[in-house]
Amino acid sequence: MSVRIRRVYETPEPEDGVRVLVDRLWPRGLSKDAARVDEWPKGLTPSTELRRWYHADERSYDEFARRYEAELAEPEAAELLERVRAWAAKGDVTLLTSSKTPEQSHAAVLARLLGE
């Protein structure tokens, strides 16, 4: 089992396993064929309010992660997180994001939680 984070704009690789788009909005300029996304659980993504808060005035990543984890504890998100955890238990999962800094994004929070 492995959980990877990749930018959705990178060329898909065979070792990606289940490719899960973890952004609420579809990536600009990318066709669905080129993205090769297997799953798109929108309910697992940060709320619009949290995304706007984080991107305003370079907010703290640690505070963003804390708030996002609280959102992930809500029933719908928790159920989706467990679904992705089940996929990871069976094989490789790649979390896809359009973020230019995936290591400082919600994808990193998800990868950490899935690895616990």
Side-chain angles (χ1 to χ4, degrees):
M1 165 196 120
S2 76
V3 176
R4 299 170 45 177
I5 302 171
R6 297 187 66 212
R7 291 200 70 224
V8 69
Y9 299 105
E10 296 176 50
T11 304
E13 297 177 353
E15 55 273 358
D16 284 346
V18 178
R19 293 173 52 87
V20 182
L21 179 62
V22 294
D23 291 347
R24 187 168 297 265
L25 304 174
W26 187 262
R28 280 190 188 173
L30 187 66
S31 72
K32 291 188 178 185
D33 286 341
R36 282 200 29 234
V37 169
D38 297 311
E39 300 289 338
W40 187 15
K42 294 179 191 175
L44 195 59
T45 63
S47 66
T48 300
E49 296 79 19
L50 181 57
R51 281 187 301 112
R52 287 181 180 156
W53 175 87
Y54 182 47
H55 294 295
D57 302 321
E58 297 188 30
R59 303 289 182 146
S60 161
Y61 175 73
D62 292 334
E63 179 62 17
F64 166 77
R66 186 190 69 71
R67 290 180 184 200
Y68 182 42
E69 286 184 44
E71 288 186 356
L72 291 171
E74 295 295 320
E76 179 189 1
E79 182 180 320
L80 290 169
L81 184 62
E82 285 307 311
R83 186 180 310 164
V84 176
R85 188 172 279 128
W87 297 330
K90 294 178 186 173
D92 297 332
V93 169
T94 299
L95 304 177
L96 303 168
T97 182
S98 60
S99 173
K100 291 180 183 175
T101 56
E103 66 282 351
Q104 290 284 306
S105 74
H106 62 290
V109 175
L110 286 171
R112 180 176 47 79
L113 292 175
L114 290 168
E116 293 178 347

